[in-house]
Amino acid sequence: MTQPAPHAIPVETLRAQVTAIFLKSGLPRAEAEAVANVITDAERDNCKSHGIYRIAGCLQAIAAGHAKVEATPLLQSAEGAIVEVDARGGFSNTAFEVARSALVERTKELGLAALVIRDCLHFSALWHDVEALAQEGLAALSMCPSYAFVAPAGGSTPLLGTNPMAFGWPRPGAHPHVFDFATSVAARGEIELHRRAGTPIPEGWAVDETGQPTTDPEVALAGAMLPFGGHKGSAISTMIELLSGAMLGEPMSREALDFTQGRALLPRHGALILAMDPARFAARSGRDPLAEGEKLLTAFGLQGARLPSERRFAAREVALRDGIALSAAEVAELDRFETLGLEALNA
Amino acid sequence: MTQPAPHAIPVETLRAQVTAIFLKSGLPRAEAEAVANVITDAERDNCKSHGIYRIAGCLQAIAAGHAKVEATPLLQSAEGAIVEVDARGGFSNTAFEVARSALVERTKELGLAALVIRDCLHFSALWHDVEALAQEGLAALSMCPSYAFVAPAGGSTPLLGTNPMAFGWPRPGAHPHVFDFATSVAARGEIELHRRAGTPIPEGWAVDETGQPTTDPEVALAGAMLPFGGHKGSAISTMIELLSGAMLGEPMSREALDFTQGRALLPRHGALILAMDPARFAARSGRDPLAEGEKLLTAFGLQGARLPSERRFAAREVALRDGIALSAAEVAELDRFETLGLEALNA
């Protein structure tokens, strides 16, 4: 039996508290709820890097006037297979929520549709959106640029972002099949941790300013991170720049980085989600696409291979049953944010 | 100055000869031309693995009755954003040509459309199709399953194909930006070459039947190949199985392999191409998406990083100027195929 941790907080209690924090900080209710949902859900799934740890950064963006909290996302009338929402400088999450049902409807109507999010602040994991779409029975591929910290394979200068990519596929009677990863070998924060600890980084993570391999975290941070998987991962990262940056007429990662002028701010750019309705794609085959998918996905477990989100779903079940285990320091910080709002940043 | 090779054959001369070979072998003209085009274009671009080397395999498939040469691809009336063509057991290339203008038209109308190819024989590189779409001003992402020779990351048993993925992006006044790669670390043929030479394969290419790493090509062929890029490449390969296999109601790689029952036949399955119109996606931004793309792509060269198809395009320019350099054995085989057709297989 798993014992509840000393500070086990029920998921919905945490959600209410995180929502209260953002309301106190000046976000309209819809935005406060959208941001609180992705943060709470990440904490629930033990994705600590996208959980309550992110609250401080969001509050800083609001306090700096960088997050346009007064802006309501503007959903454009869908044209053809493209659903478009302008976040107008607000968080991507609210924009997704505003456009979500239009995307689902258009995808079911046409078989395939795209959601374009313009001019959004982006801090959350992409799995949240594709999982929501998979729960509506849709396959979804999501991508966005970020800050240019990654050199292309064979290069020496940052040009690409850590450009995440997420994919969701519906599974009957089970959690959806979901993956979500950065297309860099490692996260920038991992290199930073090595720098602080004075330990070398593994080979293959980064190059120095001349493009030579390095295991020195200091040199790596001044040089460039590398994409995963050599020239193939580099090609995928480049595709993400083109499809979710250039194609949308939104900033690519280098422009997003230039925009911050060295300040520690959230990236501001666009995002692209492609949604597909398997029932429509398979219709003429006479096969059930989800039953076909199960033939593949259930075979993974038979040979001991893990599906991408298994650990996350296992953590979720524990959290829903026993609550989310938080440290005393985390609990204290949440309470301080809830009481003081943005003023907590100056305390 | 590059000197013409002794057996330099003009590109269009080779194209005419390869077309004649397939006409002689019983393919209808449209199919003979479609197949001859991808083979000639690959040879022209010095992609030897998809060039005239493939003719023998195609003739064997025709002789075995495995290629349904009498079948005309059936273009369905497009529904929503999905254009669908049933290859009816013929080569994928003819099906693509039959559906191509409908796909372009639907993509320009809706901003985004998918081409579903059903029940096709597949032997060609995917870059050919995405390059053709990029030349029409469209971005395109193409994928298909293949034979199950690849284990998922952490697994031990073949479940995934070498599942190729290709992407094309239009460039003003230049060759399109195109990548095309297998999602396995290496091609099966490369392991076979090591087996014949009695040399070990590099670490990371394959595992034995229990999932342990191996550098023995014999053990690797009996075990499983690995996806590129660890669990991230494995996730992408799995996505390709789901989107271009399960979602279409067409065979995934394991079923495609079972279908051949150990015979050396071409894979028969479906294929998926997603096409997007950057002009439509960028319309509300006021930016020129292709000019934005150039900011990224021209920066690659400035730091000495190569774009994926650079070598191919360089080879093409040489071939168009000097002809395609073929060995005496290659020239003799082409002549024999042209004279004898399918009977050359028995000679």
Side-chain angles (χ1 to χ4, degrees):
Chain A
M1 286 284 292
T2 307
Q3 292 299 320
H7 295 277
I9 296 182
V11 174
E12 293 316 312
T13 304
L14 180 64
R15 193 183 307 277
Q17 185 172 25
V18 178
T19 307
I21 288 169
F22 285 110
L23 286 171
K24 175 82 181 175
S25 306
L27 290 195
R29 176 159 289 277
E31 184 128 25
E33 286 178 350
V35 173
N37 276 339
V38 292
I39 288 177
T40 306
D41 290 348
E43 193 69 34
R44 174 199 68 196
D45 289 5
N46 200 30
C47 292
K48 296 295 286 187
S49 62
H50 287 90
I52 56 172
Y53 156 77
R54 293 279 177 168
I55 295 175
C58 292
L59 297 184
Q60 278 155 12
I62 297 168
H66 186 57
K68 303 298 176 198
V69 298
E70 72 288 356
T72 309
L74 183 64
L75 180 65
Q76 313 283 358
S77 63
E79 283 173 23
I82 304 174
V83 175
E84 204 170 309
V85 59
D86 187 343
R88 302 204 286 178
F91 291 103
S92 64
N93 318 96
T94 329
F96 176 76
E97 287 307 326
V98 164
R100 177 176 162 170
S101 66
L103 175 64
V104 171
E105 193 182 315
R106 188 52 57 109
T107 305
K108 292 196 170 171
E109 184 189 332
L110 297 176
L112 168 70
L115 174 63
V116 173
I117 301 181
R118 295 199 181 282
D119 192 21
C120 63
L121 281 190
H122 213 289
F123 72 91
S124 56
L126 299 184
W127 59 257
H128 201 266
D129 299 347
V130 298
E131 189 178 314
L133 294 170
Q135 277 158 349
E136 306 255 17
L138 304 180
L141 181 61
S142 172
M143 60 187 80
C144 67
S146 55
Y147 288 150
F149 288 138
V150 179
S156 55
T157 313
L159 195 56
L160 308 168
T162 52
N163 299 359
M165 178 176 178
F167 172 70
W169 173 264
R171 299 191 67 182
H175 291 296
H177 174 70
V178 173
F179 76 68
D180 178 3
F181 54 73
T183 52
S184 51
V185 176
R188 193 162 179 86
E190 292 176 82
I191 300 179
E192 181 61 30
L193 289 176
H194 279 277
R195 191 186 64 79
R196 288 188 208 170
T199 53
I201 56 171
E203 281 180 39
W205 280 23
V207 291
D208 68 17
E209 289 176 86
T210 69
Q212 293 305 305
T214 183
T215 59
D216 181 332
E218 199 93 49
V219 172
L221 290 169
M225 296 161 65
L226 286 174
F228 90 99
H231 73 275
K232 295 182 182 182
S234 184
I236 289 175
S237 178
T238 304
M239 177 183 81
I240 293 172
E241 292 285 338
L242 292 170
L243 290 183
S244 58
M247 186 170 83
L248 312 184
E250 293 289 313
M252 290 182 287
S253 296
R254 196 147 80 168
E255 191 181 352
L257 184 61
D258 291 347
F259 173 72
T260 67
Q261 299 180 303
R263 294 167 296 170
L265 294 172
L266 295 175
R268 189 166 165 175
H269 48 62
L272 176 67
I273 300 177
L274 301 176
M276 290 157 271
D277 184 357
R280 290 289 299 272
F281 274 89
R284 277 205 182 83
S285 74
R287 290 185 175 193
D288 173 353
L290 303 194
E292 291 296 311
E294 290 308 291
K295 289 182 190 168
L296 177 70
L297 298 173
T298 56
F300 273 67
L302 300 177
Q303 56 175 288
R306 203 159 44 199
L307 290 173
S309 291
E310 268 180 34
R311 270 189 290 204
R312 202 161 55 73
F313 295 134
R316 182 183 305 183
E317 281 174 31
V318 172
L320 291 174
R321 188 187 62 206
D322 299 337
I324 301 173
L326 296 182
S327 70
E330 287 172 326
V331 171
E333 188 175 61
L334 289 171
D335 290 343
R336 206 162 55 84
F337 283 150
E338 187 178 0
T339 309
L340 297 176
L342 296 180
E343 287 170 30
L345 299 172
N346 307 316
Chain B
M1 285 287 293
T2 307
Q3 293 298 321
H7 294 278
I9 296 182
V11 175
E12 294 316 311
T13 305
L14 179 63
R15 194 184 305 277
Q17 185 171 25
V18 179
T19 306
I21 289 169
F22 285 110
L23 286 171
K24 175 85 181 174
S25 306
L27 290 196
R29 175 158 290 276
E31 185 127 27
E33 287 179 350
V35 172
N37 277 339
V38 294
I39 287 176
T40 306
D41 290 348
E43 193 70 32
R44 173 199 67 195
D45 289 4
N46 200 29
C47 290
K48 296 295 285 187
S49 61
H50 287 92
I52 56 173
Y53 155 79
R54 294 279 177 168
I55 295 174
C58 292
L59 296 184
Q60 278 155 12
I62 297 167
H66 185 58
K68 302 299 176 199
V69 299
E70 72 287 355
T72 308
L74 184 63
L75 180 65
Q76 312 284 355
S77 63
E79 284 174 21
I82 304 173
V83 175
E84 206 171 308
V85 59
D86 188 343
R88 303 203 286 179
F91 291 102
S92 64
N93 317 94
T94 329
F96 175 76
E97 287 307 326
V98 164
R100 177 176 161 169
S101 65
L103 174 64
V104 171
E105 193 182 317
R106 189 50 58 110
T107 305
K108 293 196 170 171
E109 183 189 334
L110 298 175
L112 168 70
L115 174 62
V116 173
I117 301 180
R118 295 199 180 283
D119 192 21
C120 62
L121 281 189
H122 212 289
F123 73 90
S124 56
L126 299 184
W127 59 256
H128 201 266
D129 298 347
V130 298
E131 188 177 314
L133 294 170
Q135 277 158 349
E136 306 255 17
L138 303 181
L141 181 62
S142 172
M143 59 186 81
C144 67
S146 55
Y147 288 153
F149 287 138
V150 179
S156 55
T157 313
L159 195 57
L160 307 168
T162 52
N163 300 359
M165 177 176 179
F167 172 70
W169 173 263
R171 298 191 68 180
H175 291 298
H177 174 71
V178 174
F179 75 69
D180 177 4
F181 54 74
T183 52
S184 51
V185 176
R188 195 165 179 85
E190 292 175 82
I191 300 179
E192 182 61 31
L193 289 177
H194 279 276
R195 191 187 64 78
R196 287 189 210 169
T199 53
I201 56 171
E203 281 181 39
W205 280 24
V207 292
D208 68 18
E209 289 177 89
T210 70
Q212 293 305 305
T214 183
T215 59
D216 181 334
E218 199 94 51
V219 173
L221 290 168
M225 295 160 65
L226 286 174
F228 90 99
H231 73 276
K232 295 181 183 184
S234 184
I236 290 175
S237 179
T238 304
M239 177 183 81
I240 293 172
E241 292 285 337
L242 291 170
L243 290 183
S244 59
M247 186 170 83
L248 312 185
E250 292 291 312
M252 289 182 287
S253 296
R254 195 146 81 171
E255 193 181 350
L257 183 62
D258 290 348
F259 173 73
T260 67
Q261 301 178 304
R263 293 167 297 170
L265 293 173
L266 295 176
R268 188 165 166 176
H269 48 64
L272 175 67
I273 299 176
L274 301 177
M276 290 156 272
D277 183 356
R280 290 290 300 271
F281 274 88
R284 277 205 184 83
S285 73
R287 290 184 175 194
D288 173 353
L290 303 194
E292 291 297 310
E294 290 309 290
K295 289 183 190 169
L296 178 70
L297 298 173
T298 56
F300 273 68
L302 299 178
Q303 56 175 287
R306 204 159 42 201
L307 289 173
S309 290
E310 268 181 33
R311 269 187 291 207
R312 200 160 56 72
F313 294 134
R316 181 183 306 181
E317 281 175 29
V318 172
L320 290 174
R321 188 189 59 206
D322 300 336
I324 302 174
L326 296 181
S327 71
E330 287 171 327
V331 171
E333 187 174 63
L334 288 172
D335 290 344
R336 206 162 53 83
F337 284 150
E338 186 178 0
T339 309
L340 297 176
L342 296 179
E343 286 171 31
L345 298 173
N346 307 317

